[in-house]
Amino acid sequence: MEQKKEMNVYVYVLILTSVTALILSVLYTSLNPMFVANKAAAKRKAILKCIPAKMDLGDDKKVNEAYAKIEMIAVSPAGEVYDTTKLEAINAMVANGAKKYNNLEQLDLANEEKKNEKDRVYPVYKYSGEKTYYVVAVRGNGLWDKIWGYIALEEDLNTVAGVFFDHKNETPGLGAEIKDSEAFKEQFVGKKIYDEKEEVQLAVIKREPPKGDEHNVKGISGATITCDGVTNMFQNGMKHYDNYFEVLKPKSKVSDASL
Amino acid sequence: MADTIVEPAKKGGLFGKEEKRLILDPLHSDNPITIQVLGICSALAVTSQVYKSLVMAIALIFVCAFSSLIISLLRKSIPGSIRMIVQLLVIAGLVQIVEIVLGAFAYSAYEQLSVFIGLIITNCIVMGRLEAFAMGDKHTPWQAFLDGIGNGLGYGWVLVGMAVVREIFGKGTLLGFSVMPESYVLNNLMVLPASSLFVIGVFIWIQRALDPTLVDKS
Amino acid sequence: MGGDSLNIFIKAAFIDNMILAYFLGMCSYLAVSKTVKTAVGLGLAVIFVLGITMPINWAINTYLLADNAIVNGVSLTFLRLILFIAVIASMVQLVEMVIEKVSPALYNALGIFLPLITVNCAILGGSLFMVSREYAFGESVAFGLGSGLGWFLAIVAIASIREKLRTADVPPALRGLGIAFILTGLMGIAFMSLAGLNPGDYN
């Protein structure tokens, strides 16, 4: 009896493993498209959330409807624009374990960061509703791990219209408030990113900024490092868009030509 | 072996005394978290919000109940030398099902719970119940299933209870809805991960103060 | 790269501590922390198992499970949990056999705690964190060893406190478990103060 049992061990494990793997693969294949769709919708929602225009983001369907007003533009740090037909060109530049994209909407800063700096492509989401907004993606380091965000800019490409932050692993109640606290995010609205010299001035500071301050917002107490991370994210993240903004500006800033 | 299966069935159908005990004991006197001290890891990490802990509790009840059922059904055929591996395989398969289903139907919960769904595999409650109950020759698969549900519930109520305390005092909300008066100053300590340890310590304190039979003898 | 790995090692051991920041591996942490001696033994075993399972699971994840790893367009990520736990279970079994052969004394001292490492959340948690943080090979080794060291430190610390506590006057209902939880919470808050230390700044 014992002998027979031991002989069966491998067969037993094999059968059990195959049954489990079969069930899982059926389930995975049938449900994965929904997962992928959810993931895409979550990203679209994050982008739409920082745009101040009124919209209903109740469910995924409404999110996708609202997202129809967004056009995605992929730009290189040199200011070149890649449209959807250049997907091949973008995919040709993968290095250091970066993944290829099946469509341009998958463009992801985390993946781009693995590439050589000159090969990176940055997304700009142009929202054309009653007003036009440009949403850019930025990424940086928090206290524990990565933080990232979307910043919606007014047509002058300087005034912040809204922000969205997220994080991988900041402390709940402290660093995680950059995502959870609406009050923190609302402070950014109306602030200017650049000064007259086109330097990034927007920063999160420890104290309440004086009235009329154009560039500073008050940080979250107890989360200094995460807040410094947000400042750095602006400092380092916005520069990738500089060249593209230069291309864009003559068209969008006709009235400011005298500057 | 056959007679042992008949015996409990004689006692009172699907919900006899024995079966009721299987569900009710884990809720208090044999609670997996506060008495057996199992499954603490996930209990602490997901209790910052009620919603997260609810999803986690449901996931654990599912995994615990069905792994007990499956292992109890397979019990006689499992070769002794690979008992642990078979148990882990069944648990891991079920947890993976939970992960796939959550990703498709409750994406925000999937995002928030992240690695903690996978960690249900190493939740000692599941494995502990398999070893202590489902593998036992005296119990029918139905009883094992109930035992799984009971322990899942026992885990779940402590989890949700902790989350309620932490969310109300830490964020002033309950399931995202504001419940505290405007004048209430949020207690940031409650939002910190470490506070879950204080809350669970106080839970144990209260439970044992009310029922001195549960006090640690050593 | 080397600096990165060192950074990750220090972070995993002190700042991102498995027990004090994530509460992983609590079950055996509470069960085995009654005396310092057993705590040291289990802590060492955990360092070892974390140190070897992490690179193995990294290889499995990168060369077997990742999107397009074997066949283009096929993703086997749904087998991740099963394979990870299988690797961990077999490694623990292996460690058990080796220790039994090499040092029967240590084997007897560790007793049932050895197989328990399989269901130590810190081990599987480490592998899952490694995937979600997208560590490279060297980084995952550093992360494994660092997390192991952090776990070791935490369990030895609580064990020494609990040894002292035996003579303390704790309310009866709080004795044993209750006080252990509250102590761990206090240790967690104490470790939070290390969070300001960012090893990356010194590179």
Side-chain angles (χ1 to χ4, degrees):
Chain A
M1 188 66 185
E2 274 304 303
Q3 199 80 36
K4 199 178 158 204
K5 257 189 179 173
E6 290 307 309
M7 294 246 293
N8 283 336
V9 167
Y10 300 102
V11 185
Y12 194 87
V13 170
L14 196 71
I15 293 172
L16 202 64
T17 319
S18 349
V19 171
T20 325
L22 190 75
I23 296 173
L24 285 178
S25 54
V26 169
L27 205 64
Y28 179 80
T29 339
S30 52
L31 292 183
N32 199 45
M34 288 175 76
F35 174 66
V36 174
N38 284 340
K39 214 172 162 181
K43 187 177 170 186
R44 292 174 160 198
K45 201 171 169 180
I47 296 166
L48 288 169
K49 261 189 179 168
C50 57
I51 293 169
K54 262 195 186 159
M55 50 193 138
D56 181 7
L57 302 176
D59 56 50
D60 288 1
K61 209 178 139 208
K62 285 179 180 139
V63 169
N64 290 338
E65 269 168 30
Y67 195 81
K69 287 188 183 149
I70 285 189
E71 177 200 358
M72 192 195 139
I73 307 153
V75 297
S76 76
E80 291 167 83
V81 175
Y82 293 91
D83 58 14
T84 35
T85 57
K86 296 246 178 77
L87 190 65
E88 289 280 304
I90 295 173
N91 277 341
M93 293 185 291
V94 293
N96 306 329
K99 285 182 196 133
K100 294 187 177 187
Y101 302 110
N102 296 326
N103 60 57
L104 212 53
E105 213 205 307
Q106 291 178 335
L107 190 72
D108 175 20
L109 277 195
N111 194 36
E112 291 300 312
E113 275 178 353
K114 292 177 188 161
K115 294 183 181 174
N116 301 322
E117 203 149 345
K118 63 172 179 35
D119 294 338
R120 291 181 194 164
V121 187
Y122 292 86
V124 176
Y125 305 89
K126 184 182 176 188
Y127 177 85
S128 329
E130 280 168 23
K131 281 177 84 180
T132 305
Y133 298 100
Y134 292 91
V135 182
V136 298
V138 288
R139 207 172 149 81
N141 293 310
L143 169 59
W144 304 107
D145 212 322
K146 294 286 174 192
I147 54 174
W148 59 92
Y150 295 103
I151 305 159
L153 300 173
E154 304 267 356
E155 234 172 320
D156 66 355
L157 296 173
N158 189 8
T159 314
V160 178
V163 291
F164 171 91
F165 297 121
D166 204 348
H167 58 92
K168 192 151 222 171
N169 198 13
E170 297 306 298
T171 320
L174 300 174
E177 292 291 295
I178 59 165
K179 180 188 182 193
D180 300 336
S181 161
E182 291 302 325
F184 176 69
K185 287 183 279 186
E186 275 162 19
Q187 290 184 82
F188 285 86
V189 177
K191 299 283 172 181
K192 303 260 190 276
I193 293 187
Y194 303 98
D195 60 6
E196 297 80 31
K197 291 176 199 142
E198 301 279 311
E199 303 272 340
V200 178
Q201 288 296 341
L202 193 91
V204 182
I205 58 170
K206 283 199 173 175
R207 288 184 191 77
E208 191 81 45
K211 257 202 167 146
D213 186 310
E214 284 198 316
H215 299 300
N216 295 310
V217 299
K218 184 180 178 282
I220 297 154
S221 52
T224 313
I225 296 179
T226 312
C227 289
D228 286 351
V230 173
T231 305
N232 287 333
M233 193 157 75
F234 276 94
Q235 301 276 353
N236 302 327
M238 294 308 295
K239 68 169 184 243
H240 304 297
Y241 298 98
D242 283 351
N243 287 323
Y244 174 67
F245 284 175
E246 282 305 314
V247 180
L248 218 55
K249 263 177 190 168
K251 273 183 275 169
S252 61
K253 275 179 73 180
V254 183
S255 57
D256 288 6
S258 57
L259 271 175
Chain B
M1 236 177 246
D3 55 348
T4 54
I5 297 167
V6 181
E7 202 192 357
K10 258 194 292 189
K11 274 183 190 161
L14 285 183
F15 279 104
K17 224 182 197 171
E18 175 78 357
E19 282 75 12
K20 265 193 202 128
R21 200 183 55 76
L22 288 177
I23 296 267
L24 295 179
D25 270 6
L27 297 186
H28 172 65
S29 60
D30 197 23
N31 189 283
I33 293 188
T34 60
I35 307 296
Q36 303 174 37
V37 209
L38 297 173
I40 308 290
C41 321
S42 55
L44 300 170
V46 300
T47 50
S48 59
Q49 286 162 28
V50 178
Y51 174 65
K52 275 207 257 185
S53 58
L54 267 178
V55 176
M56 189 68 181
I58 293 168
L60 190 103
I61 293 170
F62 169 82
V63 174
C64 208
F66 282 94
S67 65
S68 286
L69 179 69
I70 295 171
I71 289 295
S72 185
L73 287 171
L74 292 177
R75 185 178 67 219
K76 281 181 211 133
S77 69
I78 299 175
S81 56
I82 53 161
R83 196 181 75 237
M84 291 264 269
I85 305 269
V86 172
Q87 291 173 357
L88 281 173
L89 192 70
V90 170
I91 300 171
L94 284 167
V95 172
Q96 192 74 66
I97 290 175
V98 170
E99 196 176 303
I100 295 174
V101 170
L102 277 182
F105 296 103
Y107 184 75
S108 68
Y110 171 88
E111 276 274 271
Q112 289 177 24
L113 291 171
S114 65
V115 294
F116 291 101
I117 307 169
L119 287 177
I120 297 178
I121 297 180
T122 50
N123 190 316
C124 326
I125 296 178
V126 185
M127 195 85 172
R129 288 331 286 171
L130 294 186
E131 275 291 290
F133 196 90
M135 287 298 286
D137 282 333
K138 287 207 184 78
H139 309 115
T140 61
W142 169 245
Q143 285 177 326
F145 183 72
L146 289 180
D147 179 73
I149 291 186
N151 276 281
L153 282 174
Y155 167 87
W157 90 255
V158 174
L159 205 65
V160 174
M162 284 168 68
V164 167
V165 173
R166 288 184 66 191
E167 198 179 321
I168 288 184
F169 290 108
K171 295 213 156 129
T173 59
L174 192 60
L175 279 169
F177 299 104
S178 218
V179 290
M180 292 300 259
E182 283 284 311
S183 57
Y184 175 71
V185 181
L186 299 182
N187 182 349
N188 236 340
L189 179 70
M190 279 296 171
V191 191
L192 296 182
S195 73
S196 52
L197 289 159
F198 301 138
V199 175
I200 201 172
V202 171
F203 262 46
I204 293 178
W205 192 359
I206 296 173
Q207 194 191 14
R208 293 185 184 184
L210 292 176
D211 188 351
T213 52
L214 303 173
V215 171
D216 219 338
K217 300 289 181 304
S218 54
Chain C
M1 207 62 186
D4 253 12
S5 297
L6 185 68
N7 193 350
I8 286 171
F9 177 81
I10 293 173
K11 257 181 116 170
F14 298 104
I15 308 172
D16 265 354
N17 191 292
M18 277 287 182
I19 289 184
L20 301 171
Y22 293 108
F23 311 111
L24 295 180
M26 280 297 249
C27 307
S28 33
Y29 166 82
L30 288 167
V32 190
S33 62
K34 284 189 182 128
T35 61
V36 176
K37 213 178 142 201
T38 45
V40 170
L42 186 74
L44 288 176
V46 166
I47 296 185
F48 187 71
V49 176
L50 260 172
I52 35 176
T53 53
M54 205 72 86
I56 297 178
N57 281 343
W58 182 87
I60 288 184
N61 190 53
T62 316
Y63 296 114
L64 262 172
L65 299 178
D67 291 353
N68 307 336
I70 308 179
V71 187
N72 222 357
V74 174
S75 162
L76 290 175
T77 41
F78 61 89
L79 291 176
R80 183 181 290 146
L81 290 177
I82 291 187
L83 283 180
F84 277 11
I85 199 72
V87 166
I88 293 169
S90 32
M91 278 306 127
V92 170
Q93 196 97 56
L94 196 76
V95 172
E96 205 178 333
M97 288 185 323
V98 170
I99 295 186
E100 194 180 5
K101 279 259 156 59
V102 177
S103 163
L106 180 63
Y107 180 79
N108 288 332
L110 284 175
I112 58 148
F113 301 126
L114 256 181
L116 267 183
I117 298 179
T118 315
V119 283
N120 186 327
C121 322
I123 315 272
L124 182 66
S127 287
L128 293 175
F129 276 132
M130 172 196 75
V131 172
S132 83
R133 292 179 190 167
E134 302 178 345
Y135 284 143
F137 181 74
E139 291 170 334
S140 63
V141 177
F143 179 65
L145 292 173
S147 313
L149 180 66
W151 204 89
F152 173 84
L153 286 176
I155 193 171
V156 172
I158 189 87
S160 11
I161 297 178
R162 285 182 82 175
E163 277 196 352
K164 294 273 179 303
L165 261 188
R166 249 177 255 154
T167 51
D169 186 23
V170 179
L174 203 55
R175 253 170 230 165
L177 263 184
I179 195 74
F181 273 118
I182 291 176
L183 276 174
T184 314
L186 290 174
M187 277 168 67
I189 289 187
F191 261 65
M192 268 179 71
S193 58
L194 290 174
L197 174 127
N198 188 357
D201 290 349
Y202 302 106
N203 286 337

